[in-house]
Amino acid sequence: AQSVTQLGSHVSVSEGALVLLRCNYSSSVPPYLFWYVQYPNQGLQLLLKYTTGATLVKGINGFEAEFKKSETSFHLTKPSAHMSDAAEYFCAVSLTGTASKLTFGTGTRLQVTL
Amino acid sequence: NAGVTQTPKFQVLKTGQSMTLQCAQDMNHEYMSWYRQDPGMGLRLIHYSVGAGITDQGEVPNGYNVSRSTTEDFPLRLLSAAPSQTSVYFCASSYWDRTYEQYFGPGTRLTVT
């Protein structure tokens, strides 16, 4: 079975500060890992993904994440938060097989303050 | 491309009523899925389809039916709505290989009274 744990349902940072959103997964096979962002009253949009190869993955809007197999983690970071980053962020994992079967974490709501 | 479209955007049902949530995609994706989103629980997979005529259950299938007669459409049916089905429903589609991202529709907010 696979599962995803996102530590912290709410994270608040000041504009310009580092953003760190944590994601740990459990999987018995090599996972494919995704971060999605959801702006208010909208669907989900892909930020970045790890499939194979380079473990440091760069995504849109200045976000990046590093796959650490030894720590079973895939934390999302951004060096400098912007007000427009305020949204809910979801980590998701997919095992081998159908692309449809994503397992999502419970989400982290990011608040950015002045 | 319109991407993934869902109708309606909002719906209020009374307990016991039935309805169909529509989902369509114009990207020729093989895979389509339905998720429900509830506060504090993330998104949970209801049903999915790997192609026309093929569907399977996800994590929370009870109370929902699906069919896939065409590549483009993947409707979700609530046969007898219950208050526990109050949620936001998202449809998603993707190519067959799991390296590809899923594209999500804008969602349907359903309230069952």
Side-chain angles (χ1 to χ4, degrees):
Chain A
Q2 59 189 33
S3 69
V4 178
T5 301
Q6 290 185 242
L7 293 174
S9 58
H10 289 84
V11 171
S12 182
V13 301
S14 300
E15 190 173 36
L18 171 71
V19 175
L20 171 60
L21 305 183
R22 299 179 186 274
C23 173
N24 289 87
Y25 68 91
S26 67
S27 174
S28 57
V29 298
Y32 284 8
L33 296 157
F34 303 80
W35 275 100
Y36 283 85
V37 61
Q38 184 181 32
Y39 298 103
N41 299 313
Q42 294 187 28
L44 277 70
Q45 177 184 3
L46 182 71
L47 271 179
L48 49 79
K49 64 182 179 183
Y50 167 78
T51 54
T52 58
T55 57
L56 182 62
V57 180
K58 295 187 184 301
I60 62 172
N61 302 337
F63 284 93
E64 63 182 36
E66 186 171 10
F67 170 58
K68 292 187 176 181
K69 183 178 179 181
S70 61
E71 299 177 9
T72 62
S73 69
F74 191 56
H75 301 330
L76 182 70
T77 61
K78 182 175 181 178
S80 177
H82 191 274
M83 295 296 288
S84 62
D85 295 326
E88 189 152 21
Y89 292 79
F90 292 94
C91 182
V93 62
S94 172
L95 299 181
T96 55
T98 168
S100 297
K101 296 190 74 174
L102 285 179
T103 297
F104 283 86
T106 53
T108 298
R109 184 167 298 279
L110 177 65
Q111 180 182 18
V112 182
T113 60
L114 288 173
Chain B
N1 283 353
V4 180
T5 58
Q6 291 183 239
T7 56
K9 283 188 179 299
F10 302 94
Q11 184 70 50
V12 179
L13 290 178
K14 294 187 187 307
T15 298
Q17 287 185 317
S18 63
M19 79 160 295
T20 298
L21 280 62
Q22 301 291 344
C23 174
Q25 53 91 10
D26 61 357
M27 297 172 281
N28 203 31
H29 286 164
E30 298 91 347
Y31 288 127
M32 296 186 75
S33 309
W34 277 101
Y35 294 87
R36 61 177 289 173
Q37 183 180 24
D38 302 292
M41 302 189 74
L43 279 78
R44 292 179 292 169
L45 183 64
I46 304 172
H47 285 285
Y48 67 98
S49 169
V50 301
I54 306 171
T55 64
D56 205 348
Q57 297 181 349
E59 181 185 355
V60 288
N62 292 342
Y64 307 96
N65 279 357
V66 292
S67 60
R68 183 108 179 260
S69 56
T70 67
T71 300
E72 295 78 19
D73 300 299
F74 191 44
L76 179 72
R77 298 183 187 83
L78 283 70
L79 300 178
S80 179
S84 60
Q85 294 178 305
T86 293
S87 187
V88 181
Y89 292 85
F90 289 100
C91 179
S93 72
S94 67
Y95 290 112
W96 65 274
D97 189 281
R98 68 187 183 108
T99 62
Y100 291 100
E101 70 179 277
Q102 292 199 32
Y103 290 82
F104 284 81
T108 294
R109 186 174 294 274
L110 176 68
T111 302
V112 183
T113 61

